[in-house]
Amino acid sequence: MVTQQPNRTVTVDPADGGRWTSLQLGGREWLWAGPGLVTGARTGLATFIDAGGVDECFPTVRGFPDHGGLWNQPWDTSVEHGGAILTRAFTPGTDTLAVDYRLEAVPGYRFVWAAHALLDCNAGATISAPPGTECRLYPEAEPWLPWAWPDDDPWVTAVWPTPLDLGVFGPTDGTAAGAVLVDCPTVSVRDRGAELTMTLSCPGQPVSTALWRNQGGFPADAPYRSLGVEPMLGRVFDLATAGPDDAAVVPASGELTWRLTLSARSV
């Protein structure tokens, strides 16, 4: 079952992990429909399968469970995982969409969350973030970096847009790279005369943006192209690698709220 939200701004599929399947802003569709690896809901699957759109990744992105524990169970406005309850509400406006989240969990509960948004963009699309933003690059980028990977380090640090020029979704070149833009709450994407801006707000918590630029480098056996721009709470992909300040933490009240705002315009 697919649920259409008011004003036809966003469409979600509660049977398939609450995945956003369509985002209509600024007169165009922004979400990529996926590589066609699966049809129907992924309920009960043990291994993540990319379906496009926006998956809600919680309580981690990479690691275990891969892409979190929400994508393979049905949910609607609320969903439970590991004793935590996540609630989501959409408020559409004129070329804007506000998404409000509320997490109820025991005080001190640590997690990483990301709106894993895979965008429908052509080669040449650009991603804008503040110059000088710290970026954590992950091991799949090693073959294309101008330095050797330090032993056993889960990431290396570079400055946006990094030696990989991650600010451009380029032509198919066999590369794939993941990065976390640390403490970066706002990112804009320009493609085909339109710009989508994503801003995440959660005072007192680490707010970043994850990026996945796949230019035909993943998966190795049947590569395709995909661009993920993912507002996130946390500073790492994998909760298991999070330092003391790298994960979001539920306060003493047992409740944490945050807001994701998306807007689009012609450029």
Side-chain angles (χ1 to χ4, degrees):
M1 178 179 68
V2 175
T3 301
Q4 189 80 54
Q5 300 297 321
N7 296 348
R8 298 182 177 272
T9 300
V10 62
T11 306
V12 302
D13 188 347
D16 190 32
R19 181 172 62 93
W20 312 18
T21 59
S22 175
L23 176 65
Q24 296 275 345
L25 285 177
R28 61 158 285 179
E29 175 61 57
W30 284 98
L31 298 185
W32 179 58
L37 301 176
V38 63
T39 58
R42 298 164 292 172
T43 303
L45 295 182
T47 301
F48 179 78
I49 296 179
D50 193 355
V54 179
D55 279 305
E56 305 278 357
C57 294
F58 170 89
T60 189
V61 181
R62 297 186 181 183
F64 183 80
D66 183 28
H67 286 74
L70 306 184
W71 61 268
N72 58 355
Q73 61 172 308
W75 67 308
D76 197 352
T77 57
S78 296
V79 65
E80 186 272 340
H81 177 79
I85 300 174
L86 181 65
T87 301
R88 176 184 68 186
F90 295 97
T91 304
T94 302
D95 291 331
T96 66
L97 177 68
V99 193
D100 289 295
Y101 294 86
R102 184 178 75 252
L103 180 68
E104 300 170 77
V106 296
Y109 182 91
R110 285 165 53 86
F111 68 96
V112 172
W113 164 87
H116 185 270
L118 295 171
L119 302 182
D120 178 18
C121 291
N122 285 351
T126 59
I127 303 98
S128 298
T133 295
E134 176 186 335
C135 295
R136 292 177 173 177
L137 295 170
Y138 283 76
E140 65 272 3
E142 179 184 8
W144 301 281
L145 291 173
W147 59 73
W149 197 268
D151 290 342
D152 300 325
D153 285 0
W155 65 77
V156 295
T157 299
V159 175
W160 178 260
T162 83
L164 301 176
D165 193 16
L166 291 177
V168 177
F169 186 44
T172 300
D173 60 6
T175 65
V180 174
L181 285 66
V182 176
D183 299 334
C184 180
T186 299
V187 167
S188 295
V189 179
R190 289 193 177 193
D191 174 66
R192 289 170 283 174
E195 181 179 71
L196 177 69
T197 298
M198 305 178 178
T199 299
L200 183 60
S201 177
C202 188
Q205 301 289 335
V207 175
S208 302
T209 302
L211 180 66
W212 170 247
R213 191 187 69 177
N214 175 20
Q215 296 175 170
F218 176 88
D221 57 343
Y224 50 85
R225 292 174 56 84
S226 55
L227 176 65
V229 182
E230 309 166 23
M232 73 184 306
L233 293 180
R235 297 187 176 104
V236 293
F237 280 123
D238 187 349
L239 178 62
T241 67
D245 300 319
D246 288 338
V249 181
V250 174
S253 64
E255 179 178 298
L256 183 66
T257 61
W258 61 94
R259 169 172 280 196
L260 172 60
T261 303
L262 305 99
S263 61
R265 65 187 182 98
S266 298
V267 291

